[in-house]
């Protein structure tokens, strides 16, 4: 694995065979068939792709099982190999081999069956980041049940709405979970969520705190059943429902199938991370989100990898926790978010730890600013580790744009996700659907089906068509802005619904936020639109400064220089922290509500609700100043 890094960085160049991309572009269906054959199928498919726009069925009639491919296929060669090295926030740890994981999954599959769960039934999972979470998911997959994992930071109302919408018959939860040294009362929240619902609750004993047990409740430790073998399932059999957390409307239940999804994540994990049997992989994503599904649970296990799984907050008890884990376990591949990278940059902790085991870095979840990219390369990767900057969505299932050190060599450009994945056809178009020239912002669309794509939205085919396929007929609409440069590198520019319109000029939030974060004294930034009598909308910027910094007066000139005078924020508010979900997503709608004096609304997904008060006080002071 060698990659040339564009600009001033050079980590060597090795000319690899590019035939994989050429074959994928010329015959993409046959190409994906070849990738699918790298998995274990009980019986072959009759047709590789059935495409009835906008519904795709990959590897039709082929029989497969996700749990079998994640566990059973490894038993001859990897039974004693660690599958999960688990680190609890409280300092506890567990080492679970592929053999032990298969035993746990088989037994819990038997437990689910004893509770009446059958093929096609839905099972809701509301657990902290403990090994029993992937165990429950794989147990569902083993018997053909459809799992819907609910992020452990969600409120009772959010849990209830997902249980009701999915029609889940069983809820798997825990007595509690640890977060920032405190116990989250998951059982108490679950009780409120399933009140007056006909749902059986399986309760894992994680914290061993005293809980109230209802007649519907069963303790995980007391449920015993004979292990079950994996059931052959048709390739398009639903594997999971994952609800997106949009700021408006009811959550959308994204429904993913089995054979196509497994093919996509299995291939992209190998390609992007150049995975080797000796690697120790660490992805910081919570399994409650799609990154955790695809690149914590399914892809690493499909590839027989050893991975570290961490339970708690990445900066508890302080920002050095992640670096402690990297050093303790000798992590070789580290996949995280720009938010976490900025946290590490603010703390300076990577410079005090031995990170020499690292050989590859990754980033996911949001566009990464070039200056943050460079810091990641220099201070975490020590100027020797390539960075895999990935773009994809809940709906796409797996990576769609990324550098691929496992199969090809290309230069890297800080801030660019590089090129599309082989077998994927992506375009950047204007409002009328015409391809835009280089260095022109447009809408990112996908022009043909791909294996990891969602089957539909759970129980709502019409919403699926309207949300993703109506704007540009024949193309999947991602809702993201992007542009290409002269070398056809893709640069992500943020969500189309995060666009500001100032004096008739459309400005992406990512452009302004990127400019602000490029200032050496800025740790984080977020911007939103506020009403303006003259321009219609003006810009409010919220920035977190590095310790001891005082550069508010410089920031307007920074934006003026990087983006233009039209993008200079009307208000620049220095705040101690930004309101974020536990997965690190900044909730800009809350910032906008504070700036516009509107009702803040639901804050159940916030990592720390106290951030709302901090921002409100800072914004009020900023207006006075």
């Amino acid at each position: 694995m060698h990659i040339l890094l564009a600009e001033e960085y050079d980590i060597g160049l090795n000319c690899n065979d590019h035939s994989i991309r050429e074959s994928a572009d010329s015959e993409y269906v046959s190409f994906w068939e070849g990738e699918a054959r790298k998995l274990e199928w009980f019986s072959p498919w009759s047709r590789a792709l059935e495409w009835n726009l906008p519904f795709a069925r990959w590897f039709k009639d082929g029989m497969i099982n996700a749990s079998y491919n994640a566990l059973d296929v490894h038993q001859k060669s990897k039974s004693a190999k660690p599958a999960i090295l688990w680190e609890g926030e409280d300092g506890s740890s567990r080492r679970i081999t592929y053999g032990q994981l298969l035993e746990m999954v088989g037994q819990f599959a038997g437990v689910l069956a004893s509770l009446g769960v059958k093929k096609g039934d839905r099972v809701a999972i509301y657990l902290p980041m403990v090994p029993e979470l992937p165990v429950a998911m794989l147990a569902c997959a083993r018997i053909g049940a459809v799992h819907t994992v609910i992020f452990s930071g969600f409120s009772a109302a959010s849990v209830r709405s997902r249980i009701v919408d999915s029609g889940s018959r069983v809820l798997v939860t825990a007595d509690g979970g640890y977060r920032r040294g405190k116990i989250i009362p998951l059982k108490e929240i679950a009780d409120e969520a399933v009140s007056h619902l006909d749902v059986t609750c399986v309760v894992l004993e994680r914290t061993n705190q005293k809980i109230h047990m209802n007649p519907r409740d069963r303790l995980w430790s007391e449920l015993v059943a004979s292990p079950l073998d994996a059931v052959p399932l048709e390739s398009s059999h639903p594997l999971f429902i994952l609800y997106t957390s949009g700021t408006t409307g009811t959550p959308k239940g994204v429904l993913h199938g089995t054979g196509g999804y497994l093919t996509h994540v299995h291939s992209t994990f190998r390609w992007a991370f150049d995975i080797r049997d000796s690697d120790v992989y660490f992805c910081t994503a919570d399994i409650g989100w799609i990154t955790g599904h695809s690149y914590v649970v399914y892809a690493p296990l499909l590839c027989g990898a050893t991975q570290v799984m961490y339970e708690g907050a990445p900066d508890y008890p302080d920002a050095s926790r992640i670096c402690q884990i990297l050093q303790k376990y000798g992590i070789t591949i580290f996949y995280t978010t720009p938010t976490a990278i900025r946290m590490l940059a603010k703390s300076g902790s990577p410079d005090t730890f031995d990170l020499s085991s690292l050989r590859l870095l990754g980033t996911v979840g949001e566009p990464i600013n070039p200056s943050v990219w460079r810091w990641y390369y220099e201070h975490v990767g020590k100027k020797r580790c390539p960075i895999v900057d990935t773009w994809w969505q809940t709906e796409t299932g797996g990576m769609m744009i990324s550098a691929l050190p496992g199969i090809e060599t290309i230069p890297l450009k800080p801030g660019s996700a590089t090129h599309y994945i082989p077998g994927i056809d992506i375009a950047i178009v204007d409002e009328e659907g015409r391809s835009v020239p280089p260095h022109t912002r447009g809408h990112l669309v996908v022009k043909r089906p791909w294996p990891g794509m969602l089957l539909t939205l759970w129980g709502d085919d019409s919403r699926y068509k309207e949300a993703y396929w109506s704007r540009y007929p024949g193309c999947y609409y991602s809702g993201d802005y992007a542009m290409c440069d002269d070398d056809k590198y893709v640069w992500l520019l943020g969500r189309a619904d995060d666009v500001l319109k100032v004096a008739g000029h459309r400005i992406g939030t990512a452009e302004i936020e990127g400019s602000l974060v490029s200032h050496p004294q800025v740790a984080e930034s977020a911007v939103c639109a506020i009403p303006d009598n003259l321009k219609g909308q003006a810009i409010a910027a919220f920035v977190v400064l590095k310790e001891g910094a005082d550069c508010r007066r410089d920031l307007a000139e920074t934006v003026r220089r990087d983006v233009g005078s039209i993008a200079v924020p009307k208000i620049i508010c220095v705040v101690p922290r930004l309101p974020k979900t536990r997965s690190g997503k900044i909730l800009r709608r809350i910032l906008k509500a504070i700036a516009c004096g509107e009702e803040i609304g639901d804050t159940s997904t916030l990592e720390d609700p106290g951030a709302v008060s901090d921002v409100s006080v800072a914004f009020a002071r900023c207006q006075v100043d």
Side-chain angles (χ1 to χ4, degrees), residues 370-383:
S371 64
V372 177
W373 193 104
R374 292 187 184 94
W375 183 91
Y376 194 29
Y377 175 74
E378 294 174 10
H379 292 267
V380 179
K382 308 301 181 184
K383 299 184 180 181

Side-chain angles (χ1 to χ4, degrees), residues 273-481:
F273 296 121
D274 185 34
I275 194 70
R276 305 169 187 175
D277 197 52
S278 59
D279 278 320
V280 181
Y281 165 80
F282 180 31
C283 175
T284 61
D286 191 290
I287 294 174
W289 309 109
I290 188 62
T291 302
H293 278 58
S294 296
Y295 297 109
V296 173
V297 178
Y298 286 107
L301 295 177
L302 291 172
C303 293
T306 293
Q307 70 169 312
V308 170
M309 180 177 170
Y310 174 55
E311 176 186 32
D315 57 349
Y316 182 84
D318 56 52
S320 69
R321 187 62 184 269
I322 289 297
C323 290
Q324 290 174 4
I325 293 172
L326 294 174
Q327 177 177 281
K328 176 180 177 179
Y329 292 98
I331 306 296
T332 60
I333 302 172
F334 180 43
Y335 192 33
T336 193
T337 65
T339 295
I341 297 166
R342 290 191 294 266
M343 177 200 73
L344 290 172
K346 185 178 180 182
S347 71
S349 59
D351 296 330
T352 63
F353 287 86
D354 179 7
L355 306 182
S356 59
S357 62
L358 288 168
R359 68 176 187 86
L360 195 150
L361 305 174
T363 179
V364 64
E366 59 182 292
I368 185 169
N369 179 273
S371 64
V372 177
W373 193 104
R374 292 187 184 94
W375 183 91
Y376 194 29
Y377 175 74
E378 294 174 10
H379 292 267
V380 179
K382 308 301 181 184
K383 299 184 180 181
R384 55 181 174 74
C385 298
I387 297 176
V388 176
D389 181 4
T390 63
W391 175 85
W392 56 292
Q393 301 176 315
T394 301
E395 294 87 347
T396 71
M399 299 173 191
M400 302 290 277
I401 303 172
S402 176
L404 303 174
I407 57 172
E408 66 180 5
T409 295
I410 62 169
L412 298 181
K413 298 184 180 184
S416 171
T418 67
H419 300 307
Y420 56 84
I421 296 291
I424 306 296
D425 189 4
I426 280 174
I428 300 172
V429 301
D430 62 17
E431 297 292 336
E432 284 70 46
R434 299 168 300 204
S435 293
V436 300
H439 304 289
T440 303
R441 186 184 65 196
H443 296 278
L444 191 152
V445 300
V446 186
K447 298 175 67 176
R448 63 190 181 201
W450 66 96
M453 66 184 288
L454 70 169
L455 298 177
T456 186
L457 293 177
W458 174 255
D460 202 341
D461 288 350
S462 61
R463 190 179 181 188
Y464 167 66
K465 295 177 185 177
E466 175 64 27
Y468 303 109
W469 298 92
S470 62
R471 181 158 184 167
Y472 298 105
C475 293
Y476 167 85
Y477 173 61
S478 72
D480 277 349
Y481 279 132

Side-chain angles (χ1 to χ4, degrees), residues 568-620:
V568 174
K570 181 178 181 180
I571 297 174
I572 297 177
C573 180
V574 176
V575 297
R577 50 186 168 165
L578 294 170
K580 302 175 188 176
T581 66
R582 275 178 52 183
S583 64
K585 179 181 178 181
I586 297 170
L587 291 179
R588 291 170 179 82
R589 65 173 179 83
I590 290 181
L591 297 175
K592 185 174 182 179
I594 291 171
C596 297
E598 299 170 350
E599 183 177 347
I600 291 174
D602 181 30
T603 60
S604 62
T605 63
L606 281 175
E607 161 72 18
D608 185 357
V612 175
S613 176
D614 286 350
V615 172
S616 297
V617 170
F619 188 78

Side-chain angles (χ1 to χ4, degrees), residues 40-67:
E40 293 288 332
W41 295 76
F42 295 111
S43 60
W45 49 89
S46 62
R47 188 174 181 182
L49 172 62
E50 183 179 85
W51 178 228
N52 295 314
L53 184 73
F55 301 101
R57 298 294 181 266
W58 284 87
F59 316 119
K60 186 178 178 182
D61 301 323
M63 304 299 286
I64 193 170
N65 185 283
S67 181

Side-chain angles (χ1 to χ4, degrees), residues 105-117 202 220 223-226 228:
V105 168
Q107 288 181 348
F108 197 67
V111 165
L112 291 175
S114 72
L115 296 175
V117 177
V202 177
W220 181 301
L223 292 170
V224 180
S226 299
L228 295 182

